[in-house]
């Protein structure tokens, strides 16, 4: 049976992992390779690296990080953040990333999804969507630029469009729930998961192990992503996975 | 020496790094002269069947691989596994390498009961071993492996099945015929199990001279 995936997300700035607790197990908690191997050892099914560098130098450093991670890690990983062109996609995939995730650049230029998917296959292209509930229109609106810019796009419609263009997976972050630690936004997760035929990764709001269960059962997500609860050791990947196993969820 | 066939499709870096972790020497090449120096090949691949075959034909690698596989081991991974079969329905019906009988066909996206399911088959799924005696599975117990694919192999000869996954039906995950093997999943991305399976293939290449350790001509 296909397992539900648990995916830790690491924010990388200028080649260093930011946020996160000083793990006693690690010599260097800012080293992306060491953290990747740590999460691999804990049973992570996949990793996401989000490059939050603001400079070109920082982005070039990310390519080096990807190479180093790919040399050691034997599970899949996705790289996102600041990918604007087919050239950027090629560079990261050739450096060893399994998938790239496109967010603002895909909204600005939806053709980039198609270009990437045509060149490398749908499975390499993840469309990341930051969605926020808009009470006025009673829809989920898409936001870009790290959640700072509101667009007129409806998140569900945009997800369908992205899949039509060739996205092989949707990484859905609820801005309403992000950082709140009281569970994933199950309504939009379920709506998008039912609207598209590709896997959906729920993100934003994980606070405890049972939140993941809800994301899979009520939210119909195929995978769930979390950052801070893993980095700050509020729980661990292995603890979440054993909880889910106990509840009868298919878990690796 | 292992040869990774570089015909312009897919990510060779992860695979080459996996070989490095196994301390296996390798070359990456599309030149028959170079590939001739190897004891076994790995045919990777990500993307569309038709594009891959067009590139293999253009580089004169299709006939080369057919001949190579008569005497030396060949392992296809993901799309590389699909290329080993007779033909594929992806896009237009396209002829494959014809080393293992069968046709590559798309997941329908709906179960027999009419339930919709997601395509691609993406993520970690469990294997069941149908030929546990195969050299590729030596010392291994069924485990989770990482799949990403929208098409699967419809086998003509059930004897060629070594391990399968279940995704709204049986999905051939490891196949083999004589010297030729294929994995639909990515061993280089499948954790310790995948690494051990790759190591088993490398061991088979080293022991080469003939058949799989299971003793059968087809395993």
């Amino acid at each position: 049976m296909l397992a539900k995936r648990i995916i830790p997300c690491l924010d990388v700035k200028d080649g260093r992992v930011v946020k996160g607790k000083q793990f006693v197990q690690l010599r260097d908690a800012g080293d992306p390779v060491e953290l990747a191997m740590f999460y691999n050892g804990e049973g992570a099914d996949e990793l996401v690296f989000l490059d939050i560098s603001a400079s070109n130098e920082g982005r070039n450093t990310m390519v080096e990080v990807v190479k180093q991670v790919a040399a050691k890690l034997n599970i899949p990983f996705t790289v996102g953040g600041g990918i604007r062109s087919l050239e950027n996609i090629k560079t990261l995939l050739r450096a060893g990333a399994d998938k790239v995730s496109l967010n603002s650049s895909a909204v600005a230029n939806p053709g980039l999804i198609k270009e990437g998917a045509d060149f490398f296959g749908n499975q390499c292209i993840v469309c990341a969507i930051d969605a926020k509930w808009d009470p006025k229109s009673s829809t989920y609106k898409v936001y870009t630029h790290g959640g700072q810019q509101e667009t007129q796009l409806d998140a569900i419609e945009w997800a369908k469009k992205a899949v039509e263009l060739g996205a092989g997976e949707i990484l859905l972050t609820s801005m309403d729930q992000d950082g709140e630690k009281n569970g994933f936004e199950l309504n939009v997760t379920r709506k998008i998961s039912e609207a598209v035929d590709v896997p959906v990764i729920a993100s934003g709001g994980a606070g405890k192990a049972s939140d993941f269960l809800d994301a899979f059962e009520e939210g119909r997500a195929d995978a769930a992503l979390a950052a801070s609860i893993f980095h700050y050791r509020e729980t661990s990947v292995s603890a979440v996975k054993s909880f889910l196993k106990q509840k009868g969820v298919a878990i690796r | 020496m292992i040869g990774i066939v570089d015909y312009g499709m897919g990510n060779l870096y992860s695979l080459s790094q996996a070989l490095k972790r196994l301390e296996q020497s390798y070359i990456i090449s599309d030149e028959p002269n170079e590939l001739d120096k190897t004891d076994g090949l790995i045919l990777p691949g990500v993307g569309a069947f038709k594009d891959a075959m067009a590139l293999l034909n253009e580089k004169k690698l299709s006939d080369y691989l057919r001949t190579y596989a008569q005497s030396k081991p060949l392992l296809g991974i993901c799309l590389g596994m699909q290329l080993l079969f007779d033909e594929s329905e992806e896009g237009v019906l396209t002829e494959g390498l014809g080393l293992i009988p069968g046709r590559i066909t798309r997941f329908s996206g709906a179960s027999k009961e009419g339930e919709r399911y997601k395509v691609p088959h993406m993520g970690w799924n469990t294997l069941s071993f149908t030929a546990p005696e195969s050299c590729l599975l030596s010392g291994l117990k069924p485990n989770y492996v990482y799949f990403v694919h929208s098409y699967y192999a419809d086998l003509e000869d059930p004897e060629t099945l070594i391990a399968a996954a279940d995704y709204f039906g049986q999905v051939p995950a490891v196949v083999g015929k004589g010297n030729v093997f294929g994995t639909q999943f990515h061993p280089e991305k499948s954790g310790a199990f995948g690494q051990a399976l790759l190591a088993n293939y490398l061991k088979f290449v080293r022991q080469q001279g003939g058949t799989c350790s299971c003793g059968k001509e087809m395993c």
Side-chain angles (χ1 to χ4, degrees):
Chain A
M1 199 173 171
L2 192 64
K4 299 290 187 184
R5 289 170 280 155
I6 303 295
I7 308 176
C9 175
L10 296 91
D11 286 352
V12 180
K13 192 177 181 193
D14 303 323
R16 304 277 299 165
V17 177
V18 294
K19 293 195 284 196
K21 201 170 184 162
Q22 295 296 317
F23 294 114
V24 284
Q25 301 95 320
L26 301 184
R27 278 175 288 125
D28 177 1
D31 178 12
V33 178
E34 222 180 322
L35 265 173
M37 295 314 286
F38 171 76
Y39 282 124
N40 184 25
E42 274 207 324
D45 296 304
E46 223 172 297
L47 296 176
V48 169
F49 290 88
L50 189 61
D51 185 13
I52 55 167
S53 307
S55 65
N56 284 332
E57 291 84 351
R59 297 202 193 291
N60 293 337
T61 313
M62 192 64 203
V63 177
E64 284 312 305
V65 167
V66 169
K67 278 189 189 159
Q68 290 166 19
V69 170
K72 286 216 132 178
L73 192 68
N74 58 13
I75 57 167
F77 69 101
T78 302
V79 179
I83 300 167
R84 292 193 180 83
S85 64
L86 185 63
E87 264 328 293
N88 294 157
I89 296 175
K90 284 183 188 173
T91 307
L92 289 166
L93 292 179
R94 284 179 180 153
D98 297 283
K99 312 176 199 175
V100 290
S101 115
L102 308 175
N103 192 333
S104 308
S105 59
V107 171
N109 171 22
L112 187 58
I113 296 177
K114 186 167 166 31
E115 276 182 68
D118 283 349
F119 203 87
F120 289 101
N122 303 18
Q123 78 290 335
C124 290
I125 309 296
V126 181
C127 181
I129 300 177
D130 293 343
K132 191 176 177 183
W133 175 248
D134 175 40
K136 261 192 252 161
S137 61
S138 291
T139 57
Y140 292 94
K141 285 255 172 76
V142 175
Y143 280 66
T144 60
H145 299 84
Q148 287 169 33
Q149 278 186 28
E150 185 183 339
T151 71
Q152 288 314 305
L153 292 173
D154 174 280
I156 297 162
E157 291 309 313
W158 172 230
K160 285 197 224 168
K161 174 90 187 292
V163 171
E164 250 170 57
L165 287 165
E169 200 165 32
I170 300 287
L171 167 51
L172 172 69
T173 302
S174 158
M175 289 174 54
D176 302 292
Q177 293 302 100
D178 204 19
E180 296 295 321
K181 294 191 184 167
N182 57 7
F184 296 94
E185 220 285 21
L186 303 174
N187 187 42
V188 70
T189 304
R190 184 178 181 133
K191 283 203 159 114
I192 290 187
S193 192
E194 288 177 347
V196 298
D197 293 332
V198 301
V200 172
I201 306 169
S203 156
K208 54 189 181 303
S210 62
D211 293 339
F212 291 86
L213 182 66
D214 295 340
F216 297 142
E217 291 193 338
E218 276 182 59
R220 303 269 173 103
D222 300 279
L225 175 143
S228 54
I229 58 160
F230 294 141
H231 300 331
Y232 293 108
R233 309 309 290 158
E234 287 160 29
T235 184
S236 64
V237 175
S238 49
V240 169
K241 290 184 88 168
S242 34
F243 170 82
L244 292 168
K245 244 182 227 175
Q246 228 176 49
K247 294 288 176 189
V249 179
I251 285 291
R252 178 171 74 107
Chain B
M1 175 78 78
I2 288 286
I4 300 178
V5 186
D6 176 17
Y7 58 105
M9 297 286 281
N11 183 349
L12 308 181
Y13 188 76
S14 299
L15 179 61
S16 65
Q17 295 303 309
L19 294 181
K20 218 177 241 178
R21 288 194 290 273
L22 290 164
E23 297 176 345
Q24 170 68 48
S25 57
Y26 63 89
I27 57 165
I28 299 178
S29 178
D30 62 353
E31 288 289 330
N33 288 340
E34 287 299 308
L35 297 174
D36 265 342
K37 296 174 190 160
T38 62
D39 307 305
L41 292 181
I42 300 180
L43 180 65
V46 165
F49 191 98
K50 186 171 147 273
D51 299 347
M53 277 315 293
L55 282 165
L56 286 177
N57 289 333
E58 190 186 307
K59 291 175 181 286
K60 312 236 178 301
L61 285 168
S62 314
D63 284 334
Y64 176 77
L65 291 172
R66 289 182 183 112
T67 313
Y68 187 99
Q70 285 175 9
S71 57
K72 292 189 207 173
L74 170 64
L75 170 69
I77 294 176
C78 198
L79 175 63
M81 177 206 91
Q82 298 186 354
L83 296 171
L84 303 173
F85 285 83
D86 292 327
E87 56 191 7
S88 169
E89 289 174 359
E90 184 175 0
V92 291
L93 195 65
T94 306
E95 192 190 342
L97 294 172
L99 294 166
I100 301 179
R103 177 188 271 202
I104 305 304
T105 179
R106 196 171 199 281
F107 284 111
S108 69
S111 69
K112 278 180 204 138
E113 295 76 33
E115 184 198 350
R116 240 180 74 208
Y117 65 85
K118 296 192 177 188
V119 180
H121 172 216
M122 182 190 279
W124 297 84
N125 205 339
T126 35
L127 293 181
S128 56
F129 292 178
T130 51
E133 69 283 5
S134 165
C135 55
L136 280 203
L137 303 180
S138 168
L140 296 178
K141 287 199 185 91
N143 207 324
Y144 277 99
V145 291
Y146 189 78
F147 290 90
V148 191
H149 62 124
S150 300
Y151 290 77
Y152 67 95
D154 187 2
L155 305 180
E156 208 175 288
D157 176 3
E159 289 280 305
T160 56
L161 187 66
I162 295 174
D166 182 19
Y167 191 63
F168 300 91
Q170 189 189 60
V171 179
V174 185
V175 293
K177 188 184 171 189
N179 276 332
V180 179
F181 298 96
T183 64
Q184 179 62 72
F185 59 90
H186 287 270
E188 76 279 17
K189 289 288 164 186
S190 294
F193 178 93
Q195 188 150 319
L197 186 138
L198 266 183
N200 279 343
Y201 174 68
L202 302 177
K203 193 171 160 202
F204 173 69
V205 171
R206 282 196 297 275
Q207 289 168 347
Q208 181 49 8
T211 48
C212 168
S213 54
C214 74
K216 287 198 291 185
E217 197 197 334
M218 271 186 203
C219 85

